[in-house]
């Protein structure tokens, strides 16, 4: 049995069963896609600071069409001893000493996001969230590292599975860069707003929903219930 199957069995034994009357609960095998983007002080999740995090939940209408639902966004205080590369700040444009930055601690940011995700899980009839990201392993790595540092026990996200929109966009549009993939999908993208966790998350959510909906229109998934 694979690790994924083992983890799923553990969930099935400990979580309420999905509400089969709700289409979202059937679309991704009981998992709720939640789009996440992080801005960081570098590339190493264990040593580099988490500086921004945003999460956009995804919902489904009565016709089975996915759409971005609610976005949660926090500027985050670097954890004690965190490494922050000057090049990372230059790339993202984050100013740590900006008087209006109003950053919060990692635990507060994650706890508020997790609270919103659990609310969406309940309303969608899903049993677990699955992270969606553009190069998702990066975002999931920083999320998991922050959860570990904070000692949070109730993480609603699957610990290692994710949906990667870089891969999906490469398949659907032949583009793997977020801005170019959005352009190919007909989604407006302002490069001046890029590298903000909120903006990139919301654009990634539009892209993910658009690809899933396009696949449905082509007959790739039909809810037969």
């Amino acid at each position: 049995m694979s690790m994924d199957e083992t983890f799923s069995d553990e969930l099935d034994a400990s979580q309420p069963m999905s509400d089969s009357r709700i289409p979202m609960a059937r679309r991704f095998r009981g998992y709720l896609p939640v789009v996440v983007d992080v801005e960081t002080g570098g590339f190493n999740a264990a040593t580099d600071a988490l500086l921004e995090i945003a999460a956009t939940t995804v919902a489904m209408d009565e016709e089975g069409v996915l759409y971005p639902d609610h976005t949660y966004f926090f500027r985050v205080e670097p954890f004690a001893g965190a490494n922050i590369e000057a090049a990372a700040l230059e790339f993202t444009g984050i100013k740590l000493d900006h008087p209006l930055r109003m950053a919060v601690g990692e635990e507060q940011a994650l706890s508020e996001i997790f609270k919103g995700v659990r609310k969406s899980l309940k309303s969608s009839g899903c049993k677990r969230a699955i992270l969606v990201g553009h190069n998702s392993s990066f975002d999931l790595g920083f999320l998991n590292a922050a959860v570990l540092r904070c000692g949070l026990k109730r993480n609603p996200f699957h610990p290692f599975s994710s949906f990667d929109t870089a891969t999906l966009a490469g398949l659907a549009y032949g583009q793997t860069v977020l801005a170019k993939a959005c352009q190919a999908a007909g989604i407006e993208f302002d490069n001046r707003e890029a590298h903000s966790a909120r903006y990139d998350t919301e654009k990634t959510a539009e892209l993910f929903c658009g690809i899933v909906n396009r696949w449905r229109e082509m007959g790739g998934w039909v809810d037969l219930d």
Side-chain angles (χ1 to χ4, degrees), residues 4 41 61 74 95 101 109-110 118 126 158 166 175 201 205 214:
D4 184 61
D61 67 17
F74 292 93
K95 300 183 184 301
R101 179 166 151 76
L110 294 181
R118 290 191 193 99
C126 294
H158 194 291
Q175 299 289 347
T201 300
R214 183 182 181 190

Side-chain angles (χ1 to χ4, degrees), residues 56-60 67-71 120 123 205 209:
T56 298
T57 55
V58 172
M60 180 182 285
Y67 61 92
D69 191 15
H70 186 82
T71 297
S120 294
S123 64
C209 291

